[in-house]
Amino acid sequence: MERRAALFEYLLRLGDSCLVLGHRVSEWCGHAPELEEDIALANVALDLTGQADMLLGYAARIEGKGRDADALAFLRDAWDFRNLLLCERANGDFAHTIVRQFLFDAWQAELYAALARSTDAGLAGIAAKGVKEAQYHLRHSGEWVVRLGDGTDESHARAQAALDEFWPFTGEMFETDAVATELIAAGIAPDMTPVEAAWMRTVDDVLAQATLARPKSGWMQTGGSKGRHGEELGHLLATMQFLPRAYPGAKW
Amino acid sequence: MYTQGLDQRGDNAAAPARADDPAALAAFQARIDREEKIEPNDWMPQGYRRTLVRQISQHAHSEIVGMLPEGNWITRAPSLRRKMILLAKVQDEGGHGLYLYSAAETLGVSRAELVGQLLAGKAKYSSIFNYPTLTWADIGAIGWLVDGAAIMNQVPLCRCSYGPYARAMIRICREESFHQRQGYELMLKLARGTPDQKRMAQNALDRWWWPSLMMFGPSDRDSVHSSQNAAWKIKRVSNDELRQKFVDVTVPQGHFLGLTFPDPDLKLDEGTGHWNHGPIDWAEFNRVVAGDGQCNRDRLAARRKAHAEGAWVREAAAAFAAKRAHARAAKAAE
Ligand SMILES: [Fe+2]
Ligand SMILES: [Fe+2]
């Protein structure tokens, strides 16, 4: 695969995951269990949206067809989105939101740390900025996983149920396809084997503190990076893209 | 963060009933007249404390309820930049709620108790948030008009006699003026945009103008609390003066946008330099305050739902904190 095309594709994967998860997290705003969490979750959503803006903006420049971050975010349909399936899953209860966030944050923090050493200066710069945010999010979500897991019987059961539900969506985070292989060879993207090992150490450490059981790894869901999404993404995009679609050509 | 310790401080606040001591009252008033700040541990009349608790908690509730109409548009913001600005704004409003509940707690009443009053429907919050955000332009109108009116109300509070409230207001006002500018910039973009966008902006102004004027509260002729609060330097400028100041600043801004105010009587008085506005529909104001605005029930229902659905989370956090405290105590005892 041509390197430029591969980088575009890779940036879409990273950017779309941030955009879609940021959207999900932002749905909590004003409805969280505590005022502190309204603020914390809004902050996570804000950081992820900011990362999406940078990653999609860079993707658009790499593509070189005159699109910008907003055109990529607001004017593509679901089948052109490249986010992880995990990110589009509905919020569910607070345990689901936190567990989904924790699994993602632990991955993103490791991935960004590796990408900060990318041979592609543009990507390395975005990752270097993002890694601090990802670590901060990980501390927040990790602490909550521990609190819920080792809180009450109810919170433990809810956290375990969330973990069991989302576990099959974690395999996708470490897939290495032709796009990744091309970029790994060029030193642009990292080898995912050590990233996965580090992610697993973080997960095991937090789950042990939380007295939660790591689910057995069976069949892993896949398809996000090929545009094969679940049914919920279309509804998310219908909401997110409403204004630019309803008023074509308008500037906001 | 999740401690309940402040609940016990209620007795403390209610305790020594020196409110009737005329010498203490006179000394207190003298401090106020010298522009000294009153601090949490200072003696204060019961009425002063009650008034402040009511005002600060209403203000805090307004910040929290105010997150709902604006939060309504976060997932539909039309660009990534606008989405980030709106997220940051709503996050700021939550932060304002936090500082204000903390300021109220210095007066001996816990946040849990105040939130309980809100959820029970016993506490008031700014009625402006009982109007719906129908279109994207409403986000601009709220920033421009509602944050703009809030600034007019709140700048004098930075000099309020109660120290913790005054200090909270300084930080809050800085952020509110940022929100106001961003809201106006959003409106400007619409007003200079396509015909549909301009129509959207005008429609938002039509709906938000009068409720914004009502934010300053009843006319001075009908206001119950004004004179005592003025003496205590809790409220330093009257409702009508603040409202006039807001109108004078805002009308030229609206004209610059090329928009029309929904008030046929709005006219510049060349002599005074003030913009005179038409009569305010106080029946509407009273109706919305009393609970019959379009969104009163929805706002309260949303807060109650979040609180009820979050109960197990707060219980888990408390149980976890207790377990860890217990483990630490056991370890220390070894
Ligand atoms: Fe505010
Ligand atoms: Fe504000």
Side-chain angles (χ1 to χ4, degrees):
Chain A
M1 181 177 240
E2 198 251 321
R3 182 166 310 162
R4 210 176 170 78
L7 180 56
F8 174 68
E9 196 67 21
Y10 191 74
L11 289 166
L12 285 186
R13 293 177 187 179
L14 297 177
D16 287 348
S17 289
C18 292
L19 179 64
V20 169
L21 184 59
H23 181 106
R24 282 291 183 230
V25 176
S26 80
E27 291 173 349
W28 276 98
C29 199
H31 308 282
E34 270 288 19
L35 183 49
E36 282 81 354
E37 285 315 300
D38 272 318
I39 296 172
L41 292 175
N43 188 56
V44 171
L46 179 56
D47 286 345
L48 290 174
T49 307
Q51 292 170 19
D53 187 35
M54 286 189 287
L55 289 161
L56 295 179
Y58 188 35
R61 287 194 297 282
I62 292 292
E63 184 192 39
K65 288 186 183 165
R67 292 202 279 189
D68 60 10
D70 281 340
L72 290 174
F74 294 95
L75 300 174
R76 279 178 301 151
D77 201 349
W79 56 338
D80 282 331
F81 267 71
R82 295 291 181 258
N83 58 281
L84 296 168
L85 298 176
L86 177 71
C87 297
E88 70 196 50
R89 302 293 292 173
N91 281 341
D93 64 8
F94 186 71
H96 277 75
T97 291
I98 284 296
V99 167
R100 181 187 63 196
Q101 192 66 38
F102 167 67
L103 295 170
F104 178 86
D105 292 340
W107 168 77
Q108 198 193 42
E110 288 300 332
L111 181 60
Y112 278 174
L115 282 172
R117 299 187 297 271
S118 170
T119 55
D120 184 273
L123 184 50
I126 296 171
K129 182 170 184 294
V131 72
K132 292 188 204 78
E133 293 172 350
Q135 284 163 351
Y136 185 76
H137 301 165
L138 175 59
R139 194 153 59 236
H140 175 255
S141 60
E143 282 172 4
W144 267 111
V145 169
V146 174
R147 250 182 235 129
L148 295 181
D150 194 19
T152 61
D153 289 346
E154 181 180 6
S155 68
H156 179 91
R158 286 177 185 261
Q160 187 66 54
L163 192 58
D164 294 344
E165 184 184 321
F166 289 136
W167 194 256
F169 292 94
T170 57
E172 204 183 23
M173 301 193 292
F174 308 102
E175 286 173 0
T176 300
D177 63 358
V179 167
T181 305
E182 165 72 25
L183 298 178
I184 291 168
I188 294 173
D191 176 2
M192 291 310 279
T193 311
V195 172
E196 182 170 10
W199 175 83
M200 195 64 94
R201 278 195 299 278
T202 305
V203 168
D204 281 341
D205 175 46
V206 168
L207 293 189
Q209 291 180 59
T211 70
L212 293 169
R214 184 202 324 157
K216 269 208 283 294
S217 292
W219 169 253
M220 287 291 178
Q221 296 295 336
T222 180
S225 64
K226 305 277 182 292
R228 300 194 177 172
H229 296 280
E231 293 175 348
E232 288 159 328
L233 183 64
H235 295 277
L236 183 155
L237 295 181
T239 301
M240 186 175 85
Q241 299 180 339
F242 151 65
L243 280 168
R245 300 283 195 188
Y247 301 92
K251 295 271 179 285
W252 303 94
Chain B
M1 173 154 76
Y2 294 93
T3 54
Q4 303 295 310
L6 276 156
D7 285 328
Q8 282 107 48
R9 284 182 45 192
D11 346 13
N12 210 348
R18 288 180 54 199
D20 290 329
D21 181 351
L25 271 176
F28 180 80
Q29 189 61 52
R31 291 191 62 194
I32 302 252
D33 293 342
R34 287 196 301 271
E35 297 285 331
E36 281 180 32
K37 287 282 180 257
I38 307 301
E39 296 299 333
N41 294 323
D42 297 348
W43 183 86
M44 62 187 82
Q46 293 297 329
Y48 179 83
R49 186 186 298 273
R50 254 198 319 275
T51 300
L52 277 170
V53 168
R54 190 183 55 236
Q55 185 172 328
I56 298 174
S57 61
Q58 281 182 10
H59 190 167
H61 299 329
S62 303
E63 301 282 358
I64 302 313
V65 175
M67 293 170 80
L68 296 170
E70 294 192 272
N72 181 40
W73 277 92
I74 289 175
T75 56
R76 290 178 291 170
S79 72
L80 295 174
R81 175 172 166 264
R82 291 289 175 200
K83 194 185 286 286
M84 288 189 274
I85 290 173
L86 184 55
L87 269 165
K89 177 180 197 254
V90 178
Q91 192 188 7
D92 283 350
E93 307 301 5
H96 298 170
L98 269 189
Y99 314 146
L100 287 163
Y101 283 125
S102 302
E105 286 187 326
T106 66
L107 292 160
V109 47
S110 74
R111 181 168 124 199
E113 193 181 332
L114 295 173
V115 169
Q117 291 168 2
L118 173 68
L119 298 179
K122 288 184 196 145
K124 297 238 178 302
Y125 56 86
S126 182
S127 262
I128 193 82
F129 300 121
N130 290 319
Y131 292 83
T133 48
L134 180 62
T135 72
W136 172 247
D138 291 30
I139 298 305
I142 287 183
W144 173 37
L145 301 174
V146 176
D147 286 80
I151 294 164
M152 288 296 168
N153 261 326
Q154 291 169 16
V155 164
L157 291 174
C158 298
R159 295 185 297 125
C160 163
S161 60
Y162 188 57
Y165 192 27
R167 289 189 288 272
M169 288 324 304
I170 290 171
R171 180 161 175 193
I172 290 174
C173 280
R174 243 195 325 259
E175 292 180 351
E176 301 296 15
S177 57
F178 201 58
H179 300 162
Q180 194 270 349
R181 282 200 298 276
Q182 287 169 331
Y184 187 71
E185 192 255 333
L186 194 165
M187 290 300 274
L188 188 61
K189 199 84 183 180
L190 297 178
R192 301 284 184 268
T194 66
D196 274 338
Q197 283 177 303
K198 182 161 182 186
R199 210 160 56 85
M200 194 187 277
Q202 180 63 55
N203 179 273
L205 177 58
D206 290 346
R207 284 179 290 110
W208 289 92
W209 175 244
W210 288 110
S212 300
L213 295 195
M214 294 174 196
M215 281 178 72
F216 295 92
S219 165
D220 298 344
R221 291 185 297 280
D222 311 315
S223 186
V224 225
H225 304 295
S226 290
S227 58
Q228 178 61 75
N229 291 352
W232 277 337
K233 296 186 182 170
I234 293 174
K235 181 156 182 62
R236 309 188 66 131
V237 187
S238 82
N239 291 352
D240 286 337
E241 281 172 76
L242 289 168
R243 184 164 20 240
Q244 186 61 55
K245 219 172 147 193
F246 173 73
V247 171
D248 289 341
V249 168
T250 308
V251 168
Q253 293 174 344
H255 290 159
F256 182 76
L257 293 174
L259 300 179
T260 314
F261 288 86
D263 177 359
D265 296 329
L266 191 67
K267 228 174 88 202
L268 182 66
D269 181 327
E270 302 283 358
T272 62
H274 290 306
W275 284 91
N276 295 332
H277 60 81
I280 292 174
D281 182 356
W282 292 114
E284 173 179 327
F285 174 76
N286 290 325
R287 179 171 56 75
V288 179
V289 168
D292 287 330
Q294 203 170 343
C295 298
N296 298 58
R297 286 169 186 80
D298 297 343
R299 299 297 184 231
L300 216 48
R303 290 313 310 161
R304 284 178 182 148
K305 182 166 182 281
H307 191 77
E309 288 179 357
W312 70 269
V313 178
R314 295 189 301 275
E315 280 160 23
F320 175 78
K323 275 188 207 176
R324 288 294 153 116
H326 189 77
R328 269 196 306 276
K331 196 154 189 190
E334 273 172 17

